[in-house]
């Protein structure tokens, strides 16, 4: 009987241990639940973080794309709008310079029209007045500016623009001062072009009180613009 009691007691102890172990597993399972959900939450957070990162990346891509396309649009736009602003000065070697007599019968002064034709293959800018000098048998004579407003203009490739040189007519009956050549220097240039003088052969000899030789601004002949 004693042996049976011991056996029953041992069984009871074993049963108690088994129950304790089961209760411990349950507790572990319960505690594992939150820790299991915690990684899930962490994965979700990193997932949303990833999505956020991806979203930021996408936004950044959009911004980058937007900036890039905006830059191209700006460049293209500014290229279209600022063509005239960006045009460089016309160079002497790009211009075909000609001169013709434009005096009309009955005028009190003679006039010569000087024309610049843009043969440089690009649009270029002309601002203000050209330099005009007459070579005479009494020395060089520089034309005075008329004082008219002189703005900046764009001379398109292949187009022409003219201005006028006026001079006193020699009606004194004397031999006067003989003109041998016309020297023209485009605005903002130092290189000149020498042409035959197409106007009257002489200027009157004066003591400085007569009308001077004058030059008008670019575009002062004809309609005042390029053609």
């Amino acid at each position: 009987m004693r042996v049976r009691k011991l056996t029953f007691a041992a069984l009871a102890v074993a049963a108690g241990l088994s129950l304790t172990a089961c209760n411990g597993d349950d507790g572990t399972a319960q505690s594992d639940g939150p820790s299991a959900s915690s990684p899930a939450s962490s994965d979700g957070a990193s997932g949303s973080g990833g999505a956020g990162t991806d979203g930021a990346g996408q936004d950044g891509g959009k911004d980058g794309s937007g900036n890039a396309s905006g830059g191209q649009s700006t460049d293209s736009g500014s290229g279209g709008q600022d063509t005239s602003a960006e045009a460089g000065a016309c160079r002497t070697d790009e211009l075909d310079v000609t001169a013709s007599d434009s005096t009309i019968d009955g005028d009190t002064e003679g006039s010569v029209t000087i024309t610049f034709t843009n043969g440089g293959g690009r649009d270029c800018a002309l601002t203000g007045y050209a330099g005009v000098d007459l070579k005479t048998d009494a020395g060089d004579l520089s034309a005075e500016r008329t004082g008219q407003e002189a703005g900046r203009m764009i001379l398109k490739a292949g187009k022409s623009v003219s201005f006028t040189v006026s001079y006193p007519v020699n009606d004194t009956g004397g031999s006067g001062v003989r003109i041998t050549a016309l020297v023209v220097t485009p605005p903002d240039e130092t290189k000149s072009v020498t042409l035959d003088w197409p106007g009257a052969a002489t200027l009157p000899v004066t003591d400085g009180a007569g009308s001077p030789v004058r030059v008008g601004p670019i575009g002062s002949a004809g309609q005042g613009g390029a053609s």
Side-chain angles (χ1 to χ4, degrees), residues 7 10 16 19 26 57 81 95 99 118 138 143 148 150 154 186 197 210-211:
T7 300
L19 289 173
D26 291 342
Q81 294 173 2
L95 299 173
N118 183 358
Q148 294 172 258
I154 301 302
W197 173 250
S211 299

Side-chain angles (χ1 to χ4, degrees), residues 43-63:
D43 290 342
S46 79
S48 66
T53 304
D54 292 342
Q58 290 172 357
D59 290 341
K62 289 178 183 178
D63 290 342

